[in-house]
Amino acid sequence: MAWVRWSAAAPLIACAFALAAEVPALAQGAVSAPPAVAAADEHPKVRVPVAYLGKAYEEPEPLSLVDKILTDNGVQGARVGTAYNVATGRLINQSYLLDEVIVAADADIVPAAMALLEKGERLIVADLEAEDLLKVADLPAARDAIILNVRSSRDELRGVDCRRNVFHVVPSWAMRADALAQYLLWKRWRRWFLISGQQPKDLEFVAAIRRAADRFGAKIVEEKTYTFDAGNRRTDDGHQQVQTQMPLLTQTTAAHDVVFAADASEVFGDFLMWRTFEPRPVVGTHGLAAVAWHRSFEQYAGTQMQNKFERIAKRPMTERDYAAWVAVRVIGEAVLRVASPDPGKLRAYILSPRFEVAGFKGVGMNFRPWDNQLRQPILLTGPRTLVSISPQQGFLHEKFLTDTLGYDEPETACRMAR
């Protein structure tokens, strides 16, 4: 088990102070940039330990050499978020410490979580898959903790498997599917040809796509599963294999407007574009994708955030980096307002109508009280550019337009005691 103290990353803090000082106020729900950093109080009144708890899961390799293999995906966002909190907190006698705990892929997550809880740490950024996330959440010692999910999009975590102590920063599969569905309906592309992989995450997204089709009046005209041998696409004749496979996979007699890809495992999705049997757009996990963050996003001061993060981390900000950054900022914003790291007080404020956290998306973001999911606009992006932002115009809601994405209160299967 690797345990990295935030103090070991002091140079990063110094660089990130510049980020904090230059972040402009957002159009709505904005948090003002902190003024110049004052001298640190030797005896801070409020000490805020935050844990980053993760696991070194086996990650799918990028299908292209353009995208590099990352070993710090997610944790860099938490570091930059902590640096922002540090810069702000020093002015009001609040200190922040980030403990990074990342266990091996085959290790049990429970001992690592228990070690944090026994130290009294109750604010946890969880970079964990659903099974491990629930193991941590169900520990008796974690009953009063605030656990922020920055990895898993599984809808059941916001439904039948919801937990009172788990807050979801990363969008759910339903939110992603609904964001795409709204745009496709705006384009009047109602006929979807669905192609999916066979991994659990692929099937989770398939369920969300089917729900979105029913919800918004679209039609899945045919479904197929990718069953070809992936082979080695980087050999000399790899492109020929792909060029042959994709037209066969996408050949159908059903009239369709788009090819909807569900390939969260990164097996075939990138190879669909420009190789479909009929000339059709590709949407879903590839082509036009629904994400919380993308390296091309530049609106609402997104450019400044992208540039500063890349200057610090020496690479672009990923969606998981963004989720971890937001999670740490949620804690910082709540502690700022209640002047206490007490999880009970923080939880009450986070779920109150007064809470908002700025996320470079033009609106203040807050949590749905019925399933602890963060409300947020969803970016619809191509490989290199922003295409649109959902919710789309014309999709109305009596309270929050972002509640048109994912499970609204009357639809939720979450039954947790408040």
Side-chain angles (χ1 to χ4, degrees), residues 183-351:
Y183 180 76
L184 295 179
L185 263 68
W186 183 81
K187 291 290 292 181
R188 300 185 180 180
W189 295 342
R190 298 175 180 270
R191 300 171 299 177
W192 305 346
F193 177 17
L194 175 58
I195 301 177
S196 72
Q198 305 175 74
Q199 300 302 312
K201 289 184 181 180
D202 304 334
L203 302 181
E204 291 169 12
F205 192 31
V206 166
I209 295 167
R210 291 171 180 160
R211 173 185 172 275
D214 291 339
R215 190 184 196 198
F216 293 104
K219 183 179 181 180
I220 299 175
V221 298
E222 185 172 345
E223 293 188 30
K224 283 188 178 181
T225 301
Y226 181 84
T227 57
F228 291 100
D229 180 10
N232 186 352
R233 278 91 179 234
R234 290 180 178 173
T235 60
D236 291 341
D237 60 350
H239 74 280
Q240 185 62 46
Q241 179 190 29
V242 172
Q243 187 170 324
T244 303
Q245 283 183 359
M246 293 302 114
L248 290 174
L249 177 65
T250 56
Q251 187 173 4
T252 179
T253 58
H256 57 285
D257 300 311
V258 297
V259 174
F260 217 125
D263 178 31
S265 303
E266 297 280 358
V267 175
F268 66 92
D270 268 334
F271 299 119
L272 285 172
M273 292 179 287
W274 306 288
R275 295 185 177 94
T276 56
F277 187 81
E278 298 284 348
R280 297 292 183 269
V282 176
V283 305
T285 52
H286 297 77
L288 181 67
V291 294
W293 191 255
H294 190 266
R295 62 194 297 179
S296 67
F297 185 64
E298 57 186 0
Q299 299 181 15
Y300 307 113
T303 299
Q304 287 88 331
M305 180 61 173
Q306 303 275 18
N307 291 341
K308 295 301 181 181
F309 182 90
E310 189 161 352
R311 187 178 304 167
I312 295 167
K314 310 303 181 185
R315 62 169 179 79
M317 190 179 210
T318 68
E319 183 182 54
R320 200 183 307 157
D321 288 321
Y322 176 77
W325 179 86
V326 172
V328 172
R329 288 294 301 124
V330 164
I331 295 170
E333 180 66 19
V335 172
L336 174 67
R337 303 303 176 183
V338 303
S340 171
D342 177 75
K345 294 179 180 179
L346 294 178
R347 185 177 184 280
Y349 178 70
I350 287 171
L351 288 174

Side-chain angles (χ1 to χ4, degrees), residues 8-72:
L12 183 60
I13 295 178
C15 294
F17 284 156
L19 166 65
E22 295 180 24
V23 173
L26 303 187
Q28 302 178 46
V31 174
S32 300
V37 177
D41 193 316
E42 293 182 359
H43 303 287
K45 296 179 180 178
V46 179
R47 180 180 180 276
V48 189
V50 179
Y52 184 94
L53 181 59
K55 201 170 187 178
Y57 301 104
E58 182 179 355
E59 304 273 6
E61 288 191 13
L63 294 179
S64 170
L65 287 175
V66 173
D67 297 315
K68 302 303 181 183
I69 297 174
L70 302 181
T71 58
D72 57 356

Side-chain angles (χ1 to χ4, degrees), residues 390-407:
S390 286
Q392 298 291 314
Q393 291 186 358
F395 292 88
L396 303 179
H397 192 275
E398 59 186 3
K399 295 181 180 178
F400 293 93
L401 294 181
T402 45
D403 282 346
T404 63
L405 307 176
Y407 285 86

